[in-house]
């Protein structure tokens, strides 16, 4: 037991390591490796999702004939956690990533798309810079025009930046308490205005004018115009019925002397006209 736990073992003076036979191992031997899944995938057999960081036992092998700048590429074999289907992926030293070969599909990763877009714009800017340098190489006017456009663009950017800074400084002076006080003040003013409007409506009632239908008016010229009182009704409440030509009898309410007076006035007027007419003939 003590011999098994020691760090150094005893070798006799006549020990020859060349006499020890070497085991013949295959060049592409699988090695068992305990590792974590470097990306989130979905099993193609059962549809189970296996997330990044899941621990599992895998078999590693060297891919013969595949290298990148002298870096060996490795392949890993592991089984799905639900259906035990075999999934394989390999290393990608060119992009510092991994590639799924079979048995599963990789989930969508937004940061990967952002990196691709960033790389695309970087390449585009580099190509644009090279093209611009090639244009300015033999044309002084083109270089002057490009410098003028660059200076104008920088001035516009600085002006926009100053505007944003000034706006931010204005908003920075406003506190939350001041905003709440202003809101309360506006609510109180609105309440006072509503109370004043209600008081005005209570004091000054609107006047309503009674509209007369066209059927009640026989002739607009003969229709008397009566003033209206405060409530909008006619001030002349003593409406008398028109006399009927067929009915010559006076009403019970009206006295007889009221009919006698107009008849007497009409007869005296006729007599005076006749006398004047006769006097003219005599002359």
């Amino acid at each position: 037991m003590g011999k098994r736990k020691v760090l150094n073992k005893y070798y006799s003076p006549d020990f020859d390591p060349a006499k020890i036979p070497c085991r013949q191992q295959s060049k592409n031997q699988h090695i068992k490796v305990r590792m974590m899944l470097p990306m989130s995938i979905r099993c193609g057999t059962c549809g189970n999702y296996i997330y990044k960081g899941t621990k599992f036992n895998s078999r590693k092998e060297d891919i013969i004939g595949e290298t990148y700048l002298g870096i060996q590429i490795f392949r890993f074999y592991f089984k799905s956690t639900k259906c035990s289907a075999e999934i394989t992926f390999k290393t990608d030293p060119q992009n510092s990533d991994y590639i799924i070969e079979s048995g599963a599909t990789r989930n969508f990763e937004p940061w990967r798309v952002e990196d691709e877009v960033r790389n695309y714009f970087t390449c585009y800017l580099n190509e644009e810079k090279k093209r611009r340098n090639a244009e300015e190489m033999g044309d002084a006017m083109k270089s002057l025009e490009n410098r003028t456009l660059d200076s104008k663009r920088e001035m516009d950017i600085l002006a926009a930046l100053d505007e944003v800074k000034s706006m931010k400084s204005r908003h920075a002076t406003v506190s939350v308490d001041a905003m709440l006080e202003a809101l309360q003040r506006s609510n109180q003013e609105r309440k006072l205005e509503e109370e004043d409007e209600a008081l005005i409506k209570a004091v000054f009632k609107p006047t309503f004018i009674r509209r007369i239908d066209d059927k009640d008016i026989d002739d607009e010229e003969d229709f008397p115009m009566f003033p209206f009182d405060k409530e909008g009704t006619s001030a002349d409440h003593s409406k008398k019925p028109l006399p009927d030509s067929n009915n010559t009898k006076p009403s019970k309410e009206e006295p007889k002397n009221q009919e006698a007076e107009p008849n007497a006035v009409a007869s005296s007027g006729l007599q005076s006209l006749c006398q004047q007419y006769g006097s003219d003939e005599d002359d």
Side-chain angles (χ1 to χ4, degrees):
M1 191 71 181
K3 183 181 178 181
R4 186 169 62 84
K5 292 184 178 180
V6 296
L7 297 177
N8 297 322
K9 294 184 179 180
Y10 174 75
Y11 295 97
S12 61
D14 57 349
F15 176 74
D16 187 5
K19 295 180 179 180
I20 299 174
C22 295
R23 293 185 302 171
Q24 294 181 355
Q25 297 179 357
S26 61
K27 293 182 179 180
N28 194 8
Q29 184 182 5
H30 290 192
I31 302 172
K32 290 183 180 180
V33 179
R34 178 75 174 174
M35 64 178 300
M36 293 194 311
L37 194 64
M39 65 278 190
S40 298
I41 61 174
R42 183 184 182 186
C43 179
T45 305
C46 62
N48 183 34
Y49 288 93
I50 306 173
Y51 298 100
K52 182 179 179 179
T54 305
K55 294 181 180 180
F56 54 88
N57 296 323
S58 64
R59 293 179 290 112
K60 185 192 78 169
E61 69 173 1
D62 299 340
I63 302 177
I64 299 172
E66 289 189 19
T67 57
Y68 175 73
L69 300 177
I71 301 173
Q72 183 63 44
I73 298 176
F74 303 100
R75 181 182 286 114
F76 297 90
Y77 299 87
F78 70 99
K79 294 183 179 181
S80 174
T81 57
K82 188 173 182 180
C83 64
S84 299
E86 190 175 56
I87 302 171
T88 62
F89 66 93
K90 65 179 181 179
T91 58
D92 185 12
Q94 182 178 0
N95 299 318
S96 301
D97 202 359
Y98 296 87
I99 299 174
I100 295 291
E101 284 189 326
S102 63
T105 56
R106 191 165 185 170
N107 295 343
F108 176 72
E109 297 175 349
W111 55 87
R112 182 183 296 277
V113 177
E114 292 178 0
D115 293 340
E116 291 178 357
V117 172
R118 191 181 298 109
N119 295 333
Y120 172 77
F121 277 108
T122 303
C123 295
Y124 175 76
L125 292 175
N126 292 333
E127 292 178 358
E128 190 69 19
K129 189 175 181 180
K130 291 179 180 178
R131 185 183 61 79
R132 179 175 174 178
N133 292 333
E135 289 179 355
E136 295 178 356
M137 188 64 67
D139 192 355
M141 294 300 295
K142 189 67 176 179
S143 62
L144 179 61
E145 184 180 354
N146 291 336
R147 285 197 298 271
T148 305
L149 292 174
D150 292 341
S151 62
K152 183 179 179 181
R153 191 181 300 110
E154 289 178 0
M155 291 175 64
D156 293 341
I157 292 170
L158 291 175
L161 185 61
D162 293 338
E163 185 178 358
V164 171
K165 286 182 179 179
S166 62
M167 188 182 296
K168 187 176 180 181
S169 62
R170 288 197 301 270
H171 288 298
T173 55
V174 180
S175 62
V176 179
D177 297 334
M179 291 176 64
L180 293 175
E181 290 178 0
L183 184 61
Q184 291 177 359
R185 196 182 303 111
S186 63
N187 292 334
Q188 291 178 0
E189 291 176 357
R190 186 169 62 255
K191 288 181 181 179
L192 291 174
E193 290 178 358
E194 291 177 357
E195 291 177 358
D196 293 342
E197 290 178 359
L199 182 61
I200 291 170
K201 288 180 180 179
V203 173
F204 301 99
K205 292 182 179 180
T207 57
F208 299 98
I209 299 173
R210 185 173 62 85
R211 183 169 181 176
I212 301 173
D213 295 335
D214 296 337
K215 296 179 180 179
D216 299 338
I217 302 173
D218 295 336
D219 191 359
E220 293 182 356
E221 295 179 356
D222 298 338
F223 186 78
M225 300 299 293
F226 298 106
F228 295 93
D229 57 1
K230 294 182 180 179
E231 295 181 357
T233 57
S234 176
D236 189 6
H237 298 286
S238 61
K239 288 187 177 181
K240 296 180 181 179
L242 297 173
D244 192 0
S245 60
N246 297 327
N247 189 9
T248 58
K249 294 182 179 180
S251 61
K252 295 180 180 180
E253 296 179 357
E254 296 179 354
K256 294 181 180 180
N257 55 4
Q258 291 182 358
E259 292 182 356
E261 291 178 358
N263 294 330
V265 171
S267 60
S268 61
L270 290 173
Q271 289 177 2
S272 62
L273 289 172
C274 291
Q275 290 176 0
Q276 292 179 0
Y277 181 74
S279 62
D280 293 336
E281 287 180 353
D282 295 336
D283 295 337

